[in-house]
Each structure stands twice: as structure tokens, then as C-alpha cells.
Amino acid sequence: MQKKLERLQSSSDIRGIAVQFEDREVTLNRETAALLAQGYISHISKRLGKNPEDMRVSLGVDSRVTGEKLKCAFAEVLMDAGMEVYDFGLATTPSMFMSTVFENYKCDSAVMFTASHLPFYYNGIKFFTDKGGFENEDIKEITEKAIELSEKQAKKHIQKGKINRTSILKDYSEFLVNKIREGVNSSKNYEKPLEGMRIIVDAGNGSGGFFAKEVLEVLGADTTGSAFLNPDGNFPNHIPNPEDQTAINFLKKSVTENNADLGIIFDTDVDRAACVDKAGNEINRNRLIALTSAIVLDEFPGSTIVTDSVTSDEVHEFIVRSGGKHFRYQRGYKNVINKALELNRQGIQCHLAIETSGHAAFKENKFLDDGAYLTAKILIKLAKLNEEGKNIEDLLEGYKEPEESKEIRLRITADSRNEYMDKLMKDIETHSKKTENWKQVKENYEGIRVNCTYKEGKGWFLLRSSLHEPIICINIESNFQNGTDLITKEVTDILKNYKEIEMSGL
């Protein structure tokens, strides 16, 4: 049991196998969920300085097939402790956070059962207070307490709490509708600022289907062509993931076939999103960062934009040309959000933290990573541009995509991964000093980043350690054809001297 519980921590949330699939061992079931609930009660009571019977906690699930049983096991433990529970059923991760903020709920904490974009046999748990999501240390304390309780019979409280079964998606939809109406503030049509536009949603059978009917149609948009709006935890059509090329290609086809003005795709729990413009061009990863930065810098000139470590040089140049400052930080949405919070505490104006995966958090929205709120910001701009006879892609004028990009992932078999990585990065640093066409980027907060210059053009690579797995990640981009292959060959010449790196990934 201890090993199962230890394996469930995944950075700042819980992730585990919840359905028996092939030879994968189930690690997140009713039993482990109940133990985690005990650890959560201990942690949240101490954190907030409240007795459990004086606390109100909300629970929600995405469309995964195991969500309800895990939620019920968790709820039973909270009820045994005397807590008042709000069971919201199908929800999104951002809406669960808002249950700690909305006046009609004001929950002390929120718990969301989701594994984001991972395959159907996974599930997980995310935790919030009104101050934001839990950190690594919070999850570690919860799992350690759960391990402690697994070794002895936990006593149940005599006092029972109560449960309220309702939905938060209607309240959250109204919040988004009002945000868009106020943002557009159209003198022509305040109530339906999206009237006359066709906007398609692909929810991938996750939790995001509500957005088409409860937000877009309320605002006057035609949603003909929207797909996979009904929740289905088996994800029979494609994985709900804005980075998945199959999903993006389906949306591109839907947009062009239905002559839509915009296509929107969400991940399972709607904390990430991406778009396709009316010409069928995908707006995700670097392009999404550029678009969102343009929107923010129009509202807050000179703002710093925090991104993760793998963002392209073209994004950096676009942000600077648009009058902003770019802070390229570490991978991990919590890392970019926490850096943005830190910069603001230091008096540095920062209104956006965004990761290439599609996590985007705005200062005006409590730095919550929220795919629906990101989409609302894009829709506000789309409606305003539409009144001027322009399109959303006009905001990206001057932005150039790199000619080539790729990511290589290589497994490390060494016992001491950190020491091994340190040695490898020192070798690359030494090599960059000796190599005329390599120059190490000094302002770098993760791994080692090197700019590469050739007669054909320029490129760069970033070598870093995976956040969660014993894997080396190498991100490579170039502005000329076959440039990534050229950089790969030079990096491989160094890596082949390391026997504990599995080179089959090359």
C-alpha cells in the first residue's frame, strides 16, 4: 500500500492508474482514495486552522468512467469527519476553484477528480483553496499522512456532515458570459456580441461540452459543426488534448468544412485550450502564446509575459516587438504561475503566465490556469475585431513560426539521475565553449539551452530532465530546412559517450 500511495504523487496533484489496462497495476481505487481523503482532512484542517465539522468542501469530476466511484469514496470520509460537502458532479477544474470564490458557495476547499489529457485508464485528484492550487509540498504531506493511516485502522468520527448535490457549471457559464459581454461592451448588441459568427467547439467527450450551449449560443454564436460535446470517459473519438495532432486536425477540418470563424478545443477538465482560425491554421503552443501575449499587451503595455523553457526564439522576438518583456522560465504550469506571482510581489508588472501545453493564467483571474477563461479573452478580441472587419489572425501579423521543431525523449537508466544530468550538462557547456557555432544561453532556468549558428541559418536546442520521469528531453528548433537534423547529429555525438542513456529514441 505504501508504494501505491507514493507513486500517486505527480508534482502538485495526484495521478494514478484507475482502470485495469493490459499489465498496468491499479493504484488509484476506492481504498487509496479513502486514505488520501484522510490525509487531506488532516492537511486542510491544519492549513486553515478549522475543525472538519466547521468546513465546507466541494467535489467534482470530469467525464472519466472512474470519477464517480473515487468521488464517493472520498466524500464518505469527509462526511464521517463532519464536513459539509457540495457534490457538483460533472465539472471543470477551473469551475471547482471558483466554488471557493463564488459568494453562493464560498467553499473552504475544492477537490477535482481528473487526470487531464491522460488516457481513459488514468484518474487523479487536484486540490484548491481560494488562494489557488496545492503545491508539491501539500501533496507530499497528504500522501505521507495517508501512508501513516494505511498502517493502522483509522477511526471514524461519530458526527456526520451533510451533502448538497447540485451543479456549478451553470454559475460558471454565467460568469464567462458576463465576462465576454462586459469585455466586448458592444453598442450594437450587448446581449449577443457573438451574433453572426460561427464558432465550433470540440470537447473530445470531456467536460467542456457545456461551453457551446451555455456560453456561445447564449452570446448569439452559431455552433453548427461542434463535435463530441457529450461526456464519455472512454474518449471514443480522440484524446481531449489541445496538443494532440489528431484532435487538432479534426478541428481544422471542421472549421474549414463549416466555414467557421473560429474553432476551439479543450482538454478533459478544461484547464487548457487551443484554437483554429477561419483559414484552418492551428493556434496552439508557440502560436497560442504569441496570440495571448498580443491580447494582454494591448491591454497592459509593457507587461512581462512568463513562459516555460521550450518557447521559441520567434515568440521572444514577437513579445519584445509588441512592447512586452519576456521571462522564459521552467516547464510546468505551476512553475510559470508561481514565477508570475513572485514577479508581481517584487513590483514587476506581469499579467500573463502561459505554458506551451496550453495552460494560461491571467493576473485578472487570480492566476488560475483556465482554458475557458483563455477562450473568453480570445472571443472578446474576436468580437471587437469582427466589428472592425478584421480577423483574429491579424493580431499575429509579423509573427513567424520556426521552420522546423521537434522533441526527443531518451530514457536514463543511471541510479543517480541528477548527478548524471549535471555531468552531461557540464560536458555540453564545455563543448559549446570550444565550438564556434554553439553559444550557451546564460539567462536560462532549466537544463542547458544552446544557440546554434550555421551558414544556412540559425537554431537552438534545450536539454533538460523530465519533470516526472527518468527521461532526458531535447527540444530543437531551426529556421532552415534540415536544421533540426543537423543539430540532432551534433548533440548525438556527445550523448553516444553516455552508456546509461537509451539511444533508441534517436
Side-chain angles (χ1 to χ4, degrees), residues 173-187 189-194 215 219 299 364 373 376-377 379-381 383-384 387:
S173 297
E174 288 179 3
F175 163 74
L176 293 170
V177 165
N178 290 333
K179 173 67 186 176
I180 294 169
R181 282 175 177 159
E182 292 166 7
V184 178
N185 196 21
S186 173
S187 57
N189 196 343
Y190 180 84
E191 290 294 315
K192 296 184 180 295
L194 303 182
V215 179
L219 292 167
E299 297 178 18
E364 67 188 52
Y373 193 89
K377 294 287 288 185
L379 290 171
I380 290 167
K381 199 66 179 178
K384 289 182 174 181
E387 288 188 349

Side-chain angles (χ1 to χ4, degrees), residues 191-209:
E191 290 294 315
K192 296 184 180 295
L194 303 182
E195 199 164 51
M197 285 187 278
R198 178 170 292 179
I199 302 170
I200 287 174
V201 173
D202 182 337
N205 301 114
S207 297

Side-chain angles (χ1 to χ4, degrees), residues 282-323:
E282 57 193 77
I283 304 176
N284 64 355
R285 298 184 62 79
N286 285 310
R287 196 174 180 85
L288 180 64
I289 294 173
L291 174 66
T292 312
S293 297
I295 292 170
V296 167
L297 291 169
D298 186 47
E299 297 178 18
F300 305 100
S303 174
T304 293
I305 309 294
V306 179
T307 72
D308 61 336
S309 60
V310 302
T311 44
S312 69
D313 289 342
E314 285 79 4
V315 161
H316 173 81
E317 292 166 6
F318 181 81
I319 291 172
V320 172
R321 281 201 312 272
S322 301

Side-chain angles (χ1 to χ4, degrees), residues 95-250:
S95 69
M96 290 304 297
F97 166 77
M98 296 305 287
S99 72
T100 69
V101 177
F102 287 159
E103 289 295 331
N104 52 331
Y105 300 112
K106 277 289 185 181
C107 293
D108 295 283
S109 182
V111 182
M112 176 69 179
F113 292 84
T114 180
S116 189
H117 63 283
L118 292 177
F120 74 94
Y121 47 85
Y122 279 91
N123 213 327
I125 314 175
K126 296 181 180 180
F127 304 91
F128 298 89
T129 67
D130 63 353
K131 300 295 187 292
F134 281 16
E135 301 288 348
N136 294 7
E137 297 76 18
D138 303 311
I139 304 300
K140 183 179 180 184
E141 186 175 313
I142 289 171
T143 52
E144 286 177 349
K145 189 64 177 178
I147 290 167
E148 178 188 326
L149 290 167
S150 71
E151 296 170 355
K152 57 186 178 182
Q153 184 64 40
K155 294 181 180 179
K156 291 189 176 183
H157 294 262
I158 297 173
Q159 182 181 3
K160 298 289 183 180
K162 69 174 184 176
I163 191 162
N164 309 288
R165 290 187 172 89
T166 183
S167 173
I168 197 169
L169 288 181
K170 183 178 179 181
D171 301 86
Y172 189 62
S173 297
E174 288 179 3
F175 163 74
L176 293 170
V177 165
N178 290 333
K179 173 67 186 176
I180 294 169
R181 282 175 177 159
E182 292 166 7
V184 178
N185 196 21
S186 173
S187 57
K188 295 180 181 178
N189 196 343
Y190 180 84
E191 290 294 315
K192 296 184 180 295
L194 303 182
E195 199 164 51
M197 285 187 278
R198 178 170 292 179
I199 302 170
I200 287 174
V201 173
D202 182 337
N205 301 114
S207 297
F210 77 97
F211 198 85
K213 185 175 182 61
E214 302 298 330
V215 179
L216 293 177
E217 291 181 13
V218 171
L219 292 167
D222 177 358
T223 61
T224 302
S226 292
F228 317 136
L229 304 182
N230 295 327
D232 184 340
N234 292 305
F235 308 135
N237 297 290
H238 61 68
I239 295 172
N241 181 3
E243 288 189 286
D244 181 70
Q245 200 57 50
T246 299
I248 286 290
N249 287 343
F250 186 92

